[in-house]
Amino acid sequence: MANSTGKAPPDERRKGLAFLDELRQFHHSRGSPFKKIPAVGGKELDLHGLYTRVTTLGGFAKVSEKNQWGEIVEEFNFPRSCSNAAFALKQYYLRYLEKYEKVHHFGEDDDEVPPGNPKPQLPIVDSR
């Protein structure tokens, strides 16, 4: 996350950019590419910082179960006028990071198949 000057240290910035590249590749391979980084309160969202914080707390399901989105919002220093920031973070996490978390953090199989490669279906057997 940002330091007191509002900017991330160079090493953190490099990690954040590498993370974004990997995240974009992940979404592209799934047929859900994104071009723009989402913004909350007029400020570009630090997706790497959000992912790191949520996974540190146990992942999306745990954070949601414990309703910790409000706590996470405080770490991002959004303007006070942004009253829906917790809701926005949760929605952006779902859109951009939740599937990535399941695959890369928890090691689950990616159950989504890229377009053009339908999931194999079992043959229908007529048992008359």
Side-chain angles (χ1 to χ4, degrees):
M1 301 235 197
N3 61 23
S4 60
T5 65
K7 294 188 178 184
D11 191 45
E12 281 299 309
R13 182 148 172 73
R14 255 192 310 281
K15 285 181 189 173
L17 291 172
F19 175 82
L20 276 178
D21 285 345
E22 187 175 337
L23 184 63
R24 279 194 169 106
Q25 287 266 238
F26 176 78
H27 278 279
H28 183 74
S29 71
R30 298 169 48 80
S32 62
F34 65 93
K35 297 193 186 324
K36 252 174 69 173
I37 304 296
V40 177
K43 179 179 168 185
E44 192 175 89
L45 182 58
D46 176 3
L47 290 172
H48 180 246
L50 178 60
Y51 176 78
T52 301
R53 185 64 183 129
V54 171
T55 55
T56 299
L57 292 171
F60 177 82
K62 278 218 167 90
V63 168
S64 295
E65 181 183 308
K66 293 179 179 180
N67 201 20
Q68 294 175 299
W69 293 102
E71 295 170 33
I72 294 170
V73 162
E74 292 174 18
E75 298 175 31
F76 282 84
N77 298 318
F78 294 121
R80 294 218 184 273
S81 61
C82 189
S83 59
N84 69 340
F87 177 77
L89 280 187
K90 184 177 180 179
Q91 294 305 308
Y92 285 138
Y93 197 93
L94 269 173
R95 161 67 176 94
Y96 293 92
L97 299 166
E98 193 248 354
K99 293 282 187 196
Y100 180 88
E101 171 194 288
K102 284 183 175 182
V103 173
H104 291 275
H105 185 72
F106 291 111
E108 294 180 17
D109 287 337
D110 188 3
D111 60 353
E112 301 243 348
V113 176
N117 296 326
K119 289 184 179 181
Q121 294 184 347
L122 295 174
I124 298 173
V125 178
D126 188 2
S127 61
R128 287 188 235 176

